[in-house]
């Protein structure tokens, strides 16, 4: 239920970290940027598919509880 909050913060942190790595010429810049963009997309999907309402069903389906 709290995924969008920590996911958004982590995505922004990874994005900034990727920018800093890229400026220094480190090869870690693009993977960090990619993970940040991916997390932002997943947060968008969470909001679009109403994860706040359906997350209990998804977890039960995934773990077969």
């Amino acid at each position: 239920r709290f995924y969008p909050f920590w996911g958004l913060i982590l995505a922004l942190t990874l994005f900034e970290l990727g920018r800093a790595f890229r400026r220094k010429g480190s090869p870690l810049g693009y993977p960090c940027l990619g993970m940040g963009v991916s997390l932002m997309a997943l947060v968008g999907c969470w909001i679009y598919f109403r994860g706040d309402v359906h997350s209990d069903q998804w977890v039960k389906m995934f773990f077969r509880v």
Side-chain angles (χ1 to χ4, degrees):
R1 292 185 181 153
F2 301 110
Y3 174 71
F5 303 112
W6 64 261
L8 184 61
I9 292 168
L10 185 61
L12 292 174
T13 303
L14 282 169
F15 183 73
E16 289 297 325
L17 190 62
R19 283 184 45 207
F21 277 140
R22 231 182 98 216
R23 269 191 235 131
K24 292 183 180 186
S26 175
L28 292 174
Y30 288 114
C32 285
L33 287 172
M35 286 176 18
V37 170
S38 298
L39 274 175
M40 289 288 248
L42 288 172
V43 167
C45 287
W46 178 271
I47 292 169
Y48 180 77
F49 290 115
R50 293 299 311 255
D52 57 333
V53 176
H54 303 290
S55 64
D56 291 338
Q57 295 170 355
W58 295 340
V59 170
K60 285 179 183 176
M61 224 170 45
F62 184 73
F63 289 112
R64 304 274 184 205
V65 175

